[in-house]
Amino acid sequence: MHFVQADSPPLEYVLKFCELIFNTVHMEYFRLRFLLLALSLLLGVSLSAAGYFRYHTEAQTIYKKIFELKLTEAAAMTARMKASEPDNLVVHHLEDYIDFFKIFVSEDEALYKKLLPNLSTRLDRVSSGDETSPYYLYTQAEIRLHWALLKFRFEDYFSAFTDINRAHKLLLENNTRFPDFLANKKDLGILHAAVGTVPDNYRWALEMLSSLEGSVEQGKREVEEVLTTGRRTGFIFQQETQVLYVFLLLHLDGRPDAAWQALENAALRPAETPLHAFVMANVAMRTGRNEQAIRWMEAAPRGTEFFTFPYLDYMLGVAKLRRLDTSARKHLLTFLNNTHGRHYIKEAYQKLAWAEWLDGRESGYRRYMQLVTTQGAAAAGGDKNALKEAQLGKLPNLTLLQARLLYDGGYYERGMSLLNNKQESSFSDFLNRLEFVYRKGRILHGMERYAEALETYDRTITLGQQNDAFFACNAALQAGMIAEKLNRKETAKSYYRKCLSLSPADYQTSLHQQAKAGLNRLGR
């Protein structure tokens, strides 16, 4: 039985009626949009979205507190800002900075998993904001970049690459819309520099998972443009950009002296905030200024107003060990007692073992090396090498260990006086002979005795190129850097290519990355 009224209209009339209604509503929608646009022009405000982006004085103060690692105070300030200005969406950008530093500094995986849902929540909030603001796409990109770095830290590589790819596309689009927006260029410059150092054997993954392309030189120019313009215009993120530029020069461009000089322009305050102390000490330790690094880290403030920074204790322990100061133990133990992460734990126990061996205690060395095998994770390069040493079960040669530590600290004269008491033939073990030649080359390099250093590096390459130890590969890289410094471009290229032709068991990615950066600087 059909209950259709006799006067029901045919289906085609119903469809036409629906089409008419749709067109009418559609037209009214556009009329409404036109009226809203006209009103916004008359009133001088944007009515296109409920949320707006305003980095006013209070927001900038919160940003400053975050970079001082006063995260509890910063969180309280963001809560007040959300209550007083619920539609100012920069608060979500600031809260994301707080989450980033909490996780990155603590390396707490449980905290990472707990806070990870904030990624999608914040993206939803900022993407509901004013599309006419340069911060609209920028904050989305920044939030993705923050979490990409954290995902890399916790080995969620595919998701990290996905976030970087999306962030890059957002930044490119934003750069088209707002070509003079400096914050956008800050992030693009760092991304372009980073992708320029990816070794060729990893290019396939980059091309498959992202739209990124660029070079160190391109990225460096972009960041330098931001810094130059920012000094003139009072750029909000100027100090952050300067620090990123320092690390670009140090880690991506392989120019430690330039990084040190750039650090002087960052106006950091190591006695006032542990994060500034970390940045300055990190660069100092990588440029042979170990004593200065120790002074900065010892003067760094500690207390309840600052977020706990265990890695600073690890760094201080390593710095003291580099001058053969075995009071380093207390700092390494403080790190182990306070860290919530799983990185650097094996390395910390390895350094404690070295301190024991420097003091002539074989039993202490073996006790701590046993802990290397059971504690922490072997995900990062340094932890992997510590585990490898523990599994080898051999006492390191004391002279070579001392020379290694003294070189790393920039104590070149002390290191050379140790090695001058030995000859290559003094060592019965092949790897010890190879390391002796390599360590001598590194110290000669540090002393700027370049001709002797190159000769010693050549000997290291000849001896070690058939071995899977990293000595020959790094010798080729360092020889390339000397030749480049002396403006012997073709010789430098030859050394960099030699580095890329070797495949050591340790540090290969890092060494190849630096060699590729060298070839890019020289135009291949």
Side-chain angles (χ1 to χ4, degrees):
M1 183 178 292
H2 298 285
F3 294 93
V4 178
Q5 296 181 16
D7 57 349
S8 295
L11 180 60
E12 59 182 296
Y13 292 118
V14 174
L15 292 175
K16 286 193 176 191
F17 177 75
C18 291
E19 184 180 356
L20 177 63
I21 293 297
F22 173 80
N23 288 336
T24 302
V25 172
H26 198 55
M27 185 61 69
E28 290 304 316
Y29 168 78
F30 279 106
R31 285 176 183 166
L32 180 60
R33 291 286 293 179
F34 176 78
L35 287 171
L36 287 172
L37 178 61
L39 278 171
S40 69
L41 292 172
L42 287 170
L43 297 175
V45 297
S46 172
L47 301 178
S48 61
Y52 57 88
F53 300 89
R54 189 173 299 148
Y55 249 104
H56 46 43
T57 303
E58 184 183 357
Q60 292 180 47
T61 300
I62 296 170
Y63 172 80
K64 181 182 175 184
K65 295 291 183 185
I66 293 168
F67 277 81
E68 291 173 349
L69 283 190
K70 295 179 178 178
L71 302 186
T72 301
E73 184 180 357
M77 292 177 73
T78 58
R80 289 195 296 271
M81 184 175 162
K82 284 173 87 169
S84 61
E85 288 185 83
D87 293 331
N88 188 353
L89 301 182
V90 300
V91 73
H92 303 289
H93 185 220
L94 293 167
E95 285 184 324
D96 207 68
Y97 265 119
I98 293 172
D99 279 4
F100 172 78
F101 279 113
K102 278 183 178 179
I103 297 167
F104 200 81
V105 168
S106 70
E107 296 203 337
D108 188 336
E109 189 167 8
L111 183 63
Y112 163 72
K113 290 178 179 177
K114 177 183 175 182
L115 297 180
L116 183 58
N118 289 342
L119 167 60
S120 57
T121 301
R122 291 194 184 117
L123 287 174
D124 287 343
R125 291 294 294 120
V126 297
S127 63
S128 70
D130 177 9
E131 297 181 25
T132 67
S133 169
Y135 283 102
Y136 173 70
L137 294 179
Y138 172 72
T139 52
Q140 294 178 54
E142 275 262 299
I143 290 168
R144 287 193 180 278
L145 287 176
H146 288 167
W147 288 95
L149 289 172
L150 296 174
K151 288 173 181 179
F152 273 125
R153 198 63 183 153
F154 295 102
E155 298 153 49
D156 187 1
Y157 299 121
F158 183 83
S159 183
F161 269 116
T162 301
D163 278 327
I164 286 177
N165 186 39
R166 289 177 179 172
H168 182 237
K169 289 179 178 178
L170 289 166
L171 292 167
L172 288 177
E173 182 181 347
N174 207 38
N175 203 46
T176 301
R177 292 189 192 182
F178 306 99
D180 298 323
F181 186 55
L182 287 184
N184 206 71
K185 295 179 185 295
K186 164 182 72 82
D187 288 352
L188 280 175
I190 296 300
L191 286 174
H192 291 154
V195 73
T197 63
V198 174
D200 289 339
N201 57 321
Y202 287 95
R203 299 297 299 182
W204 64 269
L206 188 70
E207 291 167 3
M208 182 176 73
L209 297 173
S210 81
S211 60
L212 281 167
E213 56 183 20
S215 68
V216 174
E217 287 304 308
Q218 177 191 352
K220 193 164 64 171
R221 284 194 306 271
E222 290 168 339
V223 176
E224 286 169 351
E225 178 189 342
V226 173
L227 291 172
T228 300
T229 307
R231 279 191 288 272
R232 189 176 66 251
T233 60
F235 179 43
I236 297 172
F237 309 116
Q238 182 76 1
Q239 189 174 73
E240 179 185 349
T241 308
Q242 187 71 44
V243 170
L244 290 171
Y245 181 61
V246 168
F247 284 127
L248 186 160
L249 292 171
L250 184 65
H251 296 288
L252 302 180
D253 202 28
R255 298 175 61 205
D257 292 336
W260 180 257
Q261 291 170 4
L263 187 65
E264 296 175 354
N265 296 323
L268 298 178
R269 306 177 310 283
E272 297 178 27
T273 165
L275 188 61
H276 288 193
F278 159 75
V279 171
M280 298 187 75
N282 187 283
V283 180
M285 288 176 70
R286 292 174 181 272
T287 56
R289 296 171 172 86
N290 201 60
E291 290 299 319
Q292 180 64 71
I294 290 172
R295 286 194 291 273
W296 279 329
M297 287 186 285
E298 287 186 327
R302 290 168 170 80
T304 55
E305 67 179 306
F306 300 101
F307 193 73
T308 305
F309 200 164
Y311 184 68
L312 205 58
D313 290 301
Y314 172 81
M315 283 177 59
L316 182 54
V318 170
K320 287 192 174 181
L321 200 62
R322 286 178 177 179
R323 65 184 186 188
L324 310 186
D325 178 357
T326 55
S327 71
R329 288 187 191 88
K330 64 181 179 183
H331 306 295
L332 294 167
L333 289 169
T334 298
F335 163 75
L336 288 168
N337 288 332
N338 291 320
T339 184
H340 294 285
R342 56 197 181 98
H343 300 293
Y344 307 109
I345 291 174
K346 291 185 183 298
E347 280 194 90
Y349 281 116
Q350 177 197 45
K351 302 302 185 290
L352 286 165
W354 288 355
E356 292 292 301
W357 186 222
L358 290 175
D359 284 341
R361 291 195 284 267
E362 180 180 342
S363 61
Y365 171 85
R366 295 199 181 280
R367 183 176 73 253
Y368 279 122
M369 290 308 286
Q370 177 59 35
L371 288 170
V372 170
T373 65
T374 60
Q375 303 299 309
D383 286 320
K384 287 179 181 178
N385 292 327
L387 180 60
K388 189 173 181 179
E389 180 183 336
Q391 291 172 336
L392 191 62
K394 288 176 59 177
L395 282 167
N397 181 278
L398 187 58
T399 299
L400 295 178
L401 176 60
Q402 291 171 324
R404 171 182 178 175
L405 290 168
L406 290 169
Y407 168 79
D408 288 343
Y411 305 103
Y412 305 130
E413 297 291 344
R414 288 176 65 187
M416 186 55 72
S417 67
L418 274 175
L419 295 184
N420 280 341
N421 294 324
K422 301 283 185 178
Q423 300 292 329
E424 188 179 329
S425 58
S426 304
F427 302 91
S428 58
D429 182 83
F430 168 75
L431 275 179
N432 283 344
R433 289 198 302 274
L434 175 61
E435 183 175 355
F436 169 77
V437 178
Y438 169 80
R439 297 290 172 204
K440 196 163 190 178
R442 296 295 278 139
I443 291 173
L444 288 166
H445 189 168
M447 298 172 77
E448 298 185 358
R449 291 161 58 176
Y450 294 136
E452 295 168 87
L454 283 171
E455 183 179 339
T456 312
Y457 282 148
D458 284 338
R459 172 66 178 155
T460 305
I461 295 167
T462 300
L463 267 178
Q465 61 186 334
Q466 300 302 321
N467 188 275
D468 69 352
F470 77 95
F471 302 123
C473 188
N474 197 34
L477 173 67
Q478 299 301 326
M481 290 181 174
I482 291 176
E484 184 179 353
K485 187 180 182 73
L486 298 175
N487 205 31
R488 300 174 188 169
K489 293 184 178 180
E490 293 306 316
T491 302
K493 289 180 184 179
S494 177
Y495 278 124
Y496 288 141
R497 292 188 186 110
K498 184 65 178 178
C499 173
L500 291 170
S501 74
L502 300 174
S503 301
D506 302 319
Y507 308 118
Q508 178 179 322
T509 299
S510 173
L511 296 175
H512 285 190
Q513 185 183 52
Q514 293 178 72
K516 187 182 177 188
L519 287 173
N520 287 338
R521 286 193 301 272
L522 298 170
R524 289 203 173 261

